[in-house]
Amino acid sequence: MGARQPERVETERLVLRRPRADDAEAIFERYASDPEVTRYLSFPRHVSLASTRAFLALSDAEWSRWPAGPYLIESRDGGDLLGSTGLSFETEQRAATGYLLSRDAWGRGYATEALRTMVELARDAGVLRLYALCHTAHAASARVLDKAGFAREGTLRRYFVFPNLSPGEPLDVLCYARVLG
Ligand SMILES: CC(C)(COP(=O)(O)OP(=O)(O)OC[C@H]1O[C@@H](n2cnc3c(N)ncnc32)[C@H](O)[C@@H]1OP(=O)(O)O)[C@@H](O)C(=O)NCCC(=O)NCCS
């Protein structure tokens, strides 16, 4: 198994840290229940705190099993909850990543800063392939992946069900990846 990664990391403007049980209300209110934030995400928008608590249980399970898992994104200046990112291990050497920010945190480069940190943690954990999927119309997310050095590998046709956009119908997605070793 690759090296265990820190549960708290500081970047220039952000703190990335492992979620805790008492984060549920803030996660729910800041982004997980927001239809605009969750539009292109892989999880159904949270309609009650039960969904948020289920995410926190899943996060603990990931952290127990793998070298890392989900991280919350906070402002270094003031500690406000801004969003979430993380590493989702599929094997010891392959992981997926993603990122989301509450609406008031968009457009300041935070997603790119968080994603670059996920690349470093993944490399330190021994990941060889770090990838992300993105809706074909989601230009802002595609730009974040470009800026963080991910290569667009192609379109996976009729591949992914976006639960908040096309429940029950797989849509085309862009596949981006960085090879780290
Ligand atoms: C997508 C998201 C993470 C971007 O976060 P962010 O911190 O605003 O991203 P950054 O500021 O690092 O970079 C965004 C880039 O996209 C560009 N951009 C933003 N909206 C755009 C649009 N509609 N079309 C083209 N480019 C766009 C910005 O100009 C910027 O590029 P630049 O630095 O070259 O100017 C954020 O909007 C979000 O959380 N959305 C909801 C959750 C989500 O969809 N997550 C991704 C799922 S794949």
Side-chain angles (χ1 to χ4, degrees), residues 32-121:
S33 62
D34 184 327
E36 264 198 71
V37 172
T38 53
R39 180 175 164 81
Y40 291 119
L41 297 182
S42 59
F43 65 83
R45 182 172 70 84
H46 294 186
V47 291
S48 79
L49 271 176
S51 311
T52 317
R53 293 198 184 104
F55 159 72
L56 292 167
L58 181 76
S59 169
D60 281 343
E62 291 285 298
W63 275 97
S64 310
R65 174 160 182 209
W66 299 105
Y71 286 86
L72 297 185
I73 303 172
E74 290 177 341
S75 165
R76 245 178 91 154
D77 173 22
D80 287 346
L81 178 62
L82 301 178
S84 175
T85 182
L87 297 176
S88 175
F89 285 80
E90 295 177 351
T91 71
E92 287 184 27
Q93 295 171 324
R94 186 179 73 238
T97 188
Y99 35 80
L100 66 91
L101 295 168
S102 68
R103 263 186 278 169
D104 57 17
W106 292 5
R108 290 187 234 163
Y110 290 153
T112 306
E113 193 167 322
L115 180 59
R116 288 186 173 134
T117 307
M118 288 304 109
V119 170
E120 285 168 28
L121 297 183

Side-chain angles (χ1 to χ4, degrees), residues 1 8 12 23 43 45 80 107 111 157-159 174:
M1 186 68 79
R8 187 176 192 283
E12 193 190 334
D23 292 316
F43 65 83
R45 182 172 70 84
D80 287 346
R157 292 172 298 166
R158 286 285 185 194
Y159 186 79
L174 302 174

Side-chain angles (χ1 to χ4, degrees), residues 12-39:
E12 193 190 334
R13 295 176 296 168
L14 306 173
V15 173
L16 308 180
R17 67 161 176 86
R18 178 176 169 170
R20 299 184 302 258
D22 65 359
D23 292 316
E25 282 82 359
I27 293 172
F28 181 81
E29 278 159 27
R30 290 284 290 146
Y31 57 78
S33 62
D34 184 327
E36 264 198 71
V37 172
T38 53
R39 180 175 164 81

